[in-house]
Amino acid sequence: MTHTVTAGLATIKDDLAAFYRDLHQHPELSLQETRTAGLLAGRLRDAGCDEVVEGVGGTGVVGVVRNGDGPVVMVRADIDALPVEERTGLPYASGVRGVDAQGRDVPVMHACGHDMHATCLIGAATLLAGAREQWSGTLLVVFQPAEELVRGARDMVEDGLFERFPKPAIVLGQHVGPLPAGFVGYGSGPVMAASDSLDVTLHGRGAHGSRPEASVDPVLMAAHVVTRLQGIVAREVPAAETAVVTVGRLQAGTKENIIPATAELGINIRTYTPEVRTQVRAAVERVVRAESQASAAVGEPTFQWLPSAPALVSDPDATATTVEAFAAHFGRDRLMPMPQVNASEDVGVFGEALGVPTVFWFWGGLDAQTVIGALQEGRLDALPSNHSPHFAPLVEPTLSTGVEALVVAALTWLGAPA
């Protein structure tokens, strides 16, 4: 049955490739995906969706294909781009600039493959809507904004996604990455880490750089915080667990001979279990408060916790069933078991909100021989990965593989034809 549906890909493949290149050339930052959303909505209407709604959770788009009695299956893709200057040299490379949430002029690039995700989902929705005789049930097609801010999924849920549209029995999603093009990677259980971020402000007392005794130096305070935070994972998290604490931003002062009054840190945490997540979050606050007190800070540190994503758990039973369907369609030689990925994804918010399983997999976008050669030579760091200015998936076979994977997974969970 899956090959019957995916056979239609040959007639739309060139059009999808052109659509992908257009999305790649016109990326939009998180919460600004208005052009992208409009194009996706138009494509869903052209595909024959029974209902298409824009503006869900900001710039999200939802399509519904109703096809009689049967399960409701949700397929999701993210659509936002990153403030990265593209250096791929492709003829359809982005030259777009935008204004970020802080009002800064920044370059914009689809450096994480969300343009490929969106195009593959359009292809899958088109094929499934055009082959209703092959399945029964309801297909819920979700294009999610602001994944890079780990808030888009929650925004859609809070905007009534599952009250306004049919409630799915399962959530399906995928991510392109630096694997060999044409291959599908999979994991079971926690496959991607939870992500928690916070902004911290340390409060000192400013003074002339020549009179440090008149100050409470927040720069020195921040330096001690940065160093001490590294002891959380090294000395508090059990060796059998995985966690990462990163200080990605440290800002203070305006001039070399002025001791400022405040210092700011941007901190990111990655964990896989709720217990370790709670432990590390509490430890970060404890360390910051203790170092502030030790430095005689003039006020308590300020904490602003930002939107977060839970660990992405690919339900073991549902994943096993889906992977068997992939094996039957692609052949086992095109499947690759994957280790846990410390990056994060907020697609898990959807399944968590309803208490239904999520199945999430990866598929390759780089030249297969290049990847295999890098593996054999132990130089994986030479491969362009997601968020790199050099990352851009091969159009084919990446596009076809991504479309087929979504079709196969959806048909695995939709009902049999009436």
Side-chain angles (χ1 to χ4, degrees):
M1 180 172 64
T2 61
H3 289 287
T4 300
V5 179
T6 57
L9 180 56
T11 62
I12 64 172
K13 187 163 61 173
D14 291 344
D15 178 61
L16 288 175
F19 184 65
Y20 163 73
R21 292 187 180 97
D22 179 72
L23 291 183
H24 188 85
Q25 201 164 20
H26 299 91
E28 295 172 301
L29 294 171
S30 306
L31 305 179
Q32 301 179 28
E33 312 95 327
T34 52
R35 178 185 185 271
T36 303
L39 292 175
L40 294 169
R43 288 279 175 153
L44 288 179
R45 293 186 183 101
D46 293 344
C49 285
D50 300 292
E51 183 179 359
V52 178
V53 179
E54 298 178 63
V56 182
T59 49
V61 178
V62 178
V64 183
V65 183
R66 295 184 175 87
N67 194 29
D69 295 333
V72 178
V73 174
M74 174 176 157
V75 282
R76 169 269 196 184
D78 39 16
I79 63 175
D80 54 330
L82 287 159
V84 173
E85 185 170 3
E86 182 160 357
R87 297 178 182 174
T88 62
L90 291 167
Y92 53 90
S94 168
V96 170
R97 298 193 70 84
V99 178
D100 68 10
Q102 288 73 43
R104 298 172 298 201
D105 178 80
V106 295
V108 187
M109 176 193 175
H110 269 300
C112 200
H114 295 186
D115 46 351
M116 182 62 74
H117 300 174
T119 304
C120 289
L121 184 48
I122 285 294
T126 301
L127 294 179
L128 289 164
R132 299 188 196 213
E133 72 282 355
Q134 298 294 326
W135 57 276
S136 64
T138 298
L139 184 71
L140 182 67
V141 182
V142 174
F143 291 99
Q144 178 211 308
E147 187 277 333
E148 295 296 351
L149 301 181
V150 292
R151 60 170 288 180
R154 203 169 303 281
D155 286 349
M156 296 189 81
V157 170
E158 291 177 355
D159 196 25
L161 174 65
F162 298 129
E163 288 74 45
R164 297 163 60 184
F165 303 97
K167 290 183 174 64
I170 192 168
V171 176
L172 305 173
Q174 62 179 6
H175 205 301
V176 68
L179 302 173
F183 286 72
V184 175
Y186 65 93
S188 183
V191 293
M192 298 186 77
S195 176
D196 293 283
S197 294
L198 73 156
D199 290 332
V200 174
T201 301
L202 302 173
H203 300 282
R205 182 169 57 245
H208 196 287
S210 66
R211 297 192 66 236
E213 73 279 5
S215 75
V216 174
D217 189 347
V219 179
L220 182 60
M221 194 187 313
H224 284 304
V225 168
V226 172
T227 302
R228 185 68 182 83
L229 285 175
Q230 304 314 306
I232 294 173
V233 174
R235 287 296 177 265
E236 297 186 37
V237 175
E241 300 286 352
T242 299
V244 178
V245 176
T246 295
V247 179
R249 181 175 65 86
L250 199 169
Q251 294 171 313
T254 57
K255 199 172 187 298
E256 73 282 352
N257 65 346
I258 301 173
I259 296 172
T262 61
E264 299 178 358
L265 294 87
I267 303 171
N268 180 252
I269 301 165
R270 306 289 171 137
T271 55
Y272 284 98
T273 67
E275 296 78 16
V276 173
R277 186 183 189 189
T278 299
Q279 175 191 6
V280 174
R281 283 174 58 113
V284 167
E285 289 202 13
R286 186 196 75 231
V287 166
V288 172
R289 287 194 175 96
E291 291 294 346
S292 293
Q293 184 176 11
S295 300
V298 301
E300 284 289 312
T302 304
F303 299 92
Q304 181 184 3
W305 288 94
L306 304 174
S308 63
L312 174 51
V313 178
S314 193
D315 181 83
D317 292 338
T319 297
T321 299
T322 305
V323 169
E324 283 303 309
F326 286 158
H329 181 83
F330 294 113
R332 292 194 183 276
D333 58 340
R334 288 177 61 186
L335 303 186
M336 299 177 63
M338 294 276 294
Q340 289 180 327
V341 177
N342 276 344
S344 303
E345 248 275 7
D346 66 349
V347 65
V349 169
F350 294 116
E352 187 178 79
L354 288 176
V356 303
T358 297
V359 178
F360 196 81
W361 62 92
F362 304 87
W363 91 106
L366 301 185
D367 175 71
Q369 291 306 312
T370 300
V371 177
I372 292 169
L375 281 168
Q376 291 172 339
E377 296 172 18
R379 49 181 186 85
L380 288 177
D381 57 342
L383 298 174
S385 60
N386 302 82
H387 292 216
S388 162
H390 302 284
F391 181 76
L394 296 174
V395 176
E396 287 293 351
T398 310
L399 180 58
S400 293
T401 305
V403 172
E404 291 183 29
L406 286 172
V407 169
V408 170
L411 289 173
T412 301
W413 297 102
L414 289 165

